[in-house]
Amino acid sequence: MGDIYLKLARAAIAQSIGIPYEINLEKILDEYPSLKEFGSSFVTITKGKEKSLRGCIGSLEAYRPLYEDIILNARAAALHDPRFQALSELEYNDIKIEVSILSKPEILEYSDIDDLKNKIKPDIDGVVLKLDGKQATFLPQVWEQLPTFDLFFAHLCQKAGLETDCLKRHPEIYIYHVEKYSE
């Protein structure tokens, strides 16, 4: 299935920037009917040998068929990630794509920061943080760049537009897991 997810994302990106990329969606959906079931995904685009982030957009909740979610998130990652200019045709051959299929986020009950530290599994748990109407998420892959609990959560708080020590205010924490497929 991973190859199909990547092919859907690659085709969506190519077509969105004007590069012809033939794909028979009807045939794929006939061969893989599970793609029609609701699912949530993140599409991450990296560029160059150093694999620098070039776009990452996704859905935390399953609210549309998985194939649509992958296609639309791939297009959004290429064209609408607010951190980057839209991907250009010139960059296309220098990108790599990663598709993550998410499990449903589940609330993680915890009493304090130490309890949270004991319950969080680095490299395994994706985390959603919610506080004061703001929220942010990091996929489990982010643990590779932010390998300590303190670093990971300081950046996650910051991504949500909160102070880096927002854990002191006991935000809601949800965890999820991913199946990751990379080119």
Side-chain angles (χ1 to χ4, degrees), residues 10-116:
R10 175 67 69 176
I13 292 168
Q15 292 168 356
S16 72
I17 59 174
I19 296 173
Y21 193 111
E22 292 301 316
I23 188 169
N24 187 334
L25 185 58
E26 195 173 301
K27 182 179 177 191
I28 289 171
L29 294 175
D30 283 344
E31 288 179 37
Y32 303 96
S34 64
L35 287 168
K36 296 177 192 174
E37 295 172 14
F38 280 24
S40 58
S41 67
F42 266 74
V43 177
T44 304
I45 302 170
T46 56
K47 184 178 169 190
K49 290 178 184 155
E50 65 283 347
K51 292 188 175 184
S52 56
L53 183 63
R54 186 57 184 82
C56 183
I57 300 285
S59 307
L60 287 170
E61 299 287 335
Y63 66 96
R64 57 188 171 196
L66 181 58
Y67 79 93
E68 283 183 21
D69 200 66
I70 292 169
I71 289 169
L72 295 173
N73 288 334
R75 288 180 185 153
L79 301 176
H80 304 295
D81 186 321
R83 299 169 290 184
F84 304 100
Q85 294 289 330
L87 188 75
S88 73
E89 199 174 320
L90 291 173
E91 295 174 285
Y92 178 77
N93 289 327
D94 198 28
I95 64 167
K96 296 291 181 208
I97 299 167
E98 180 178 282
V99 176
S100 297
I101 307 300
L102 281 63
S103 68
K104 183 177 179 182
E106 302 285 343
I107 188 96
L108 182 66
E109 301 292 343
Y110 67 100
S111 56
D112 57 26
I113 293 173
D114 286 334
D115 187 34
L116 182 61

